Amino acid sequence: MNRDWAEKDFYQILGVGKSSTPEEIKRAYRKLARRHHPDANPGNESKAEKFKGISEAYSVLSDAERRGEYDEVRRLVESGGYRHFPGGGQGTPFGGQVNLEDLLGGFGDLFGRGRHTAARKGADLAANLRLTFEESIEGATKSVGVRGQTSCSDCGGTGVRSGGLPEACPVCSGQGTTVQNQGPFSFSRPCHQCQGSGKMIRDPCPGCRGRGSRHRTRTVKVRVPPGVKDGSRIKIREKGAPGRLGGPAGDLLVRVEVESHPLFVRRGNDLNLMLPLTYSEASLGATLEIPTLNGVVKLRVPAGTPNGKTFRIRGRGIPTPRGKPGDLLVEARVEIPKRVSRQQRRLLENLAELDSGNIRSHFEVGR
């Protein structure tokens, strides 16, 4: 929770009432954002600062959970709840000794969360997954080896020898924090003995030496959705390194590498295909069978097709879960033979003589 909430009236900033609906809050934000956005007021620092406040107010009031917490904080402020701390007496404006954690940020217990902050999410881990072109199109379930920290199988992640449990820290009595008095104020700090965990391990696990995790390689199954692209990342929640002190495990980020296809090249949801044509097919035209991802289709190549001409076969590209599939783009490539037979040479020479006459006639125009 942001400590500034006690001092800011987000409803007033947006110009809405406390009973406003989410749609009313959204409309008010959009109206103010258009007026104060930095792009609409270049060089105006006051407008930029105003826009920050508007954005902060909307980020809190547009989230139902955060709005509820904010409303509770404001209720305490407006009712004078800040003065009702235990330990009344003289010496401070609040009466007696005040814990600054309670004063500035100790609203966690009101919403079902304690002040204990030692739990930490585990680190994210990365792995690479290589797929065939067909697997990337159709989807697949694959296994990847992940090297890194994982929960100790001997102790189940507790760090205590099998069958045992951690004990409460004798210094902080299991609270994870200790209080230091500084005149009229007191400060809560993480316990130096247990590093904020509130627990002590008397009989550590021999496998992980009390850490609760071990470095090893494990196998994780990955569900690859159909149509995944080369370079995509798949996030598998809580399959990364184990958390600390009861925190959740990190995530596993799997980077997908797709093998190339001998015929097709992917461009978004479209497929590109090179179609070799003989000189006679390009000149006279032909009907050819074209391979696709699911069978062959016939393509009519018209007479006089130039090199590089692209034909679009709709719906024969990458299928998509929703919407129309991509197209197959077929590019004509006229193949020039490196070797010819005597008969072919004789025919080509005759053709060349005819072609030469037609081409030379262009130079005679205007003479």
Side-chain angles (χ1 to χ4, degrees), residues 84-103:
H84 300 160
F85 290 97
Q90 304 298 321
T92 74
F94 309 99
Q97 190 179 70
V98 178
N99 188 306
L100 287 187
E101 294 294 323
D102 291 329
L103 178 61

Side-chain angles (χ1 to χ4, degrees), residues 119-362:
R120 292 289 184 270
K121 180 181 178 181
D124 293 341
L125 298 179
N128 292 329
L129 176 61
R130 192 168 182 83
L131 301 175
T132 65
F133 191 87
E134 289 77 11
E135 287 174 334
S136 72
I137 301 301
E138 299 171 2
T141 298
K142 307 285 287 185
S143 297
V144 294
V146 181
R147 181 71 177 171
Q149 293 292 330
T150 185
S151 181
C152 177
S153 57
D154 293 342
C155 64
T158 65
V160 185
R161 188 184 292 270
S162 182
L165 294 172
E167 301 175 9
C169 173
V171 175
C172 65
S173 300
Q175 296 299 310
T177 58
T178 56
V179 177
Q180 293 184 346
N181 297 328
Q182 298 289 336
F185 295 101
S186 63
F187 298 85
S188 296
R189 299 182 182 276
C191 175
H192 67 279
Q193 181 69 26
C194 62
Q195 287 77 48
S197 68
K199 301 175 182 179
M200 293 291 291
I201 297 177
R202 302 291 185 185
D203 187 14
C205 168
C208 64
R209 299 181 181 179
R211 291 188 294 268
S213 62
R214 304 173 71 172
H215 197 84
R216 65 182 179 87
T217 299
R218 56 195 166 94
T219 300
V220 177
K221 286 190 175 181
V222 181
R223 183 182 176 277
V224 182
V228 67
K229 299 178 182 179
D230 181 62
S232 299
R233 292 184 181 276
I234 300 174
K235 177 187 285 189
I236 306 178
R237 298 191 179 278
E238 298 191 9
K239 289 297 183 179
R244 292 182 60 250
L245 308 176
D251 301 327
L252 176 62
L253 305 177
V254 181
R255 185 180 183 277
V256 176
E257 299 176 1
V258 180
E259 297 176 355
S260 60
H261 193 277
L263 296 178
F264 304 113
V265 176
R266 182 173 181 174
R267 297 285 185 270
N269 286 333
D270 292 337
L271 291 177
N272 286 44
L273 174 68
M274 296 300 175
L275 174 64
L277 293 177
T278 65
Y279 180 79
S280 59
E281 288 172 334
S283 300
L284 304 177
T287 299
L288 304 175
E289 290 188 341
I290 306 300
T292 70
L293 290 177
N294 49 358
V296 298
V297 296
K298 290 186 177 182
L299 175 66
R300 174 60 186 170
V301 178
T305 295
N307 185 58
K309 169 72 175 179
T310 299
F311 302 92
R312 181 182 294 270
I313 304 178
R314 299 192 179 278
R316 291 291 183 160
I318 304 296
T320 56
R322 293 179 294 272
K324 298 190 301 183
D327 300 331
L328 175 62
L329 304 178
V330 182
E331 182 179 343
R333 287 290 179 88
V334 180
E335 298 289 333
I336 306 299
K338 294 182 179 180
R339 295 181 180 181
V340 294
S341 65
R342 289 183 179 181
Q343 183 181 5
Q344 288 173 326
R345 176 177 292 276
R346 185 166 56 253
L347 293 173
L348 288 173
E349 287 173 347
N350 293 336
L351 180 60
E353 185 175 344
L354 293 174
D355 287 343
S356 177
N358 292 332
I359 294 175
R360 298 297 181 268
S361 63
H362 290 282

Side-chain angles (χ1 to χ4, degrees), residues 32-110:
L32 292 172
R34 284 194 296 267
R35 186 188 310 166
H36 297 282
H37 197 284
D39 290 346
N41 304 274
N44 192 327
E45 294 295 332
S46 63
K47 290 283 188 180
E49 194 64 29
K50 181 79 171 178
F51 180 74
K52 290 182 181 179
I54 294 169
S55 299
E56 181 186 13
Y58 179 68
S59 69
V60 173
L61 298 185
S62 62
D63 185 297
E65 182 178 353
R66 298 181 72 195
R67 182 180 180 181
E69 295 178 1
Y70 170 76
D71 287 344
E72 183 66 21
V73 172
R74 293 297 300 176
R75 186 188 66 77
L76 286 174
V77 172
E78 293 169 0
S79 65
Y82 274 124
R83 297 191 297 274
H84 300 160
F85 290 97
Q90 304 298 321
T92 74
F94 309 99
Q97 190 179 70
V98 178
N99 188 306
L100 287 187
E101 294 294 323
D102 291 329
L103 178 61
L104 298 177
F107 297 100
D109 293 333
L110 295 174

